[in-house]
Amino acid sequence: MAGNLLIVHGGGPTAVINASLYGAIRKAQECPLVDRVYAAIGGTGGLLKEKLRDVTDLPDAELRGLLSSPASAIGTSRDALEAPEYEAMVPILEKYGIRYVLMNGGNGTMDTCGKLYARCADRGINVIGIPKTMDNDLAITDHSPGFGSAARYMAGSVAEVCCDVEGLPIHIVVVEALGRNAGWVTAASALATDSYAHGPDLIYLPERAFHEDEFLADVEQLIKTKGHGVVVASEGLHYADGTPIVEPVFTVGRATYFGDVSAHLANLIIKKLGYKARAEKPGILGRASIAWQSDTDRTEAELCGRAAVDAVTTGQSGKMVALRRVPGPNYRCETFLVDIQEVMMTERKMPDEFINERGNNITEAFKEWCRPLIGAPLPKLMDLRPAED
């Protein structure tokens, strides 16, 4: 039986969430089991307010603009939902003849997806999740759409910072990276060496407890050997007891606005070591940057959108589309389905084999794993100065 399909965005936007939207809309337009395609304007809050846009008849020439548009073209949200809100969604879906629901987002959105699925299971409404998070902390899937572009941004931007610091080698620069409690985006800065002869000298991840004395010793050694350098630190750094090294600006549920970690670390260098230091915090500049969008990321995001429509219209429900690598000499991923219960509010962090023994950098194994995800080779940045012995 044919029915209508609804697409809902949730959580922080990325450089490719609109590519998943494009893939889902185009596949739904082609599917004989889908009558009309709706987009919730403003996430779950838009659904509850019945702010639904019919996108069925949008031509491909117009829709293709989604592939190069940053953030969410339909609006997303971080609504705190309780049982009454979930119950209220079901009659709205029935009112609009929606038999298929696609929830595109990260950990929180997959939790919402699972809870909505539970309420729709006996109502003839199928619910499927499309992965999305620049943090790359969704479980099971090899990686999440959105991460490859954020990783490309970090690698390219940190390479440029390294150029700046090598050009005027008078200080330590601390760059802060997004990523919450997982260090994937921070670690991606190491790929700066694919672009420039010099990369970040030190990288600190939230997978390892932060020790101020070790940090200062690392930086002091860097000053003695080079006299300058670049440090990349995760916003989620914490002490051994789990306390953040900088008090968050505020925390509401899962939503945490982290404090200025880079500024704190730069101040430590200035005050404790008496050396010049400055902090850089790109923040959300790198979350949805089209300028640094990865072509691989974009292609896989679209693939996930299309796979979600295939799944939801063929009777699948309560699952999330995931990616896995196909063995072979060349990088390629395929989609598969995972039970939504396996990813609801489950945080995936960097494995030990990707982190060096001292916990102040990453391994070559991580670089090899991450490199295909950032897409086309980074631009090569020149340095005409002779190499030092």
Side-chain angles (χ1 to χ4, degrees), residues 176 235 244-252 255-261 281:
E176 182 176 334
E235 65 180 358
I245 69 167
V246 179
E247 184 179 357
V249 177
F250 72 86
T251 301
V252 179
T256 299
Y257 279 55
F258 291 91
D260 288 330
V261 169
K281 185 173 182 174

Side-chain angles (χ1 to χ4, degrees), residues 72-88:
S72 170
I74 60 175
T76 181
S77 65
R78 282 199 174 111
D79 301 305
L81 303 174
E82 301 295 341
E85 283 79 27
Y86 288 106
E87 295 296 338

Side-chain angles (χ1 to χ4, degrees), residues 63-310:
L63 286 171
R64 290 195 68 81
L66 290 170
L67 297 172
S68 56
S69 296
S72 170
I74 60 175
T76 181
S77 65
R78 282 199 174 111
D79 301 305
L81 303 174
E82 301 295 341
E85 283 79 27
Y86 288 106
E87 295 296 338
M89 290 179 186
V90 178
I92 296 173
L93 297 174
E94 292 176 332
K95 174 182 176 180
Y96 287 87
I98 294 168
R99 295 192 63 232
Y100 314 115
V101 180
L102 304 181
M103 306 287 298
N104 193 179
N107 301 90
T109 303
M110 291 308 116
D111 185 63
T112 299
C113 182
K115 290 174 179 176
L116 182 59
Y117 156 70
R119 284 159 177 81
C120 292
D122 61 351
R123 307 294 281 268
I125 300 172
N126 296 341
V127 184
I128 290 287
I130 304 173
K132 175 278 314 171
T133 173
M134 58 89 69
D135 299 331
N136 199 42
D137 57 356
L138 276 170
I140 310 300
T141 186
D142 178 83
H143 58 279
S144 297
F147 168 68
S149 296
R152 184 176 179 84
Y153 174 90
M154 281 303 298
S157 297
V158 170
E160 292 177 337
V161 171
C162 290
C163 278
D164 188 298
V165 174
E166 292 296 324
L168 183 62
I170 61 171
H171 51 198
I172 303 295
V173 173
V174 184
V175 180
E176 182 176 334
L178 295 176
R180 295 171 54 85
N181 302 313
W184 301 97
V185 177
T186 307
S189 65
L191 289 177
T193 53
D194 285 9
S195 177
Y196 184 54
H198 304 276
D201 300 283
L202 298 166
I203 299 174
Y204 295 93
L205 311 171
E207 283 80 2
R208 295 291 183 267
F210 180 80
H211 299 282
E212 183 178 306
D213 55 343
E214 291 183 6
F215 168 76
L216 291 172
D218 291 343
V219 175
E220 187 172 31
Q221 182 62 29
L222 178 61
I223 293 168
K224 287 179 180 178
T225 56
K226 287 182 63 178
H228 62 280
V230 175
V231 177
V232 181
S234 167
E235 65 180 358
L237 290 184
H238 58 86
Y239 297 113
D241 64 358
T243 304
I245 69 167
V246 179
E247 184 179 357
V249 177
F250 72 86
T251 301
V252 179
R254 291 186 66 252
T256 299
Y257 279 55
F258 291 91
D260 288 330
V261 169
S262 55
H264 172 71
L265 296 180
N267 285 334
L268 280 179
I269 295 168
I270 294 168
K271 294 177 180 178
K272 297 293 182 71
L273 300 180
Y275 203 77
K276 294 179 181 179
R278 63 179 297 152
E280 303 294 339
K281 185 173 182 174
I284 63 171
L285 289 173
R287 185 166 70 179
S289 171
I290 285 298
W292 286 104
Q293 185 191 60
S294 158
D295 54 350
T296 300
D297 196 21
R298 181 181 64 241
T299 298
E300 292 178 346
E302 180 184 344
L303 178 67
C304 288
R306 290 179 176 273
V309 174
D310 278 336

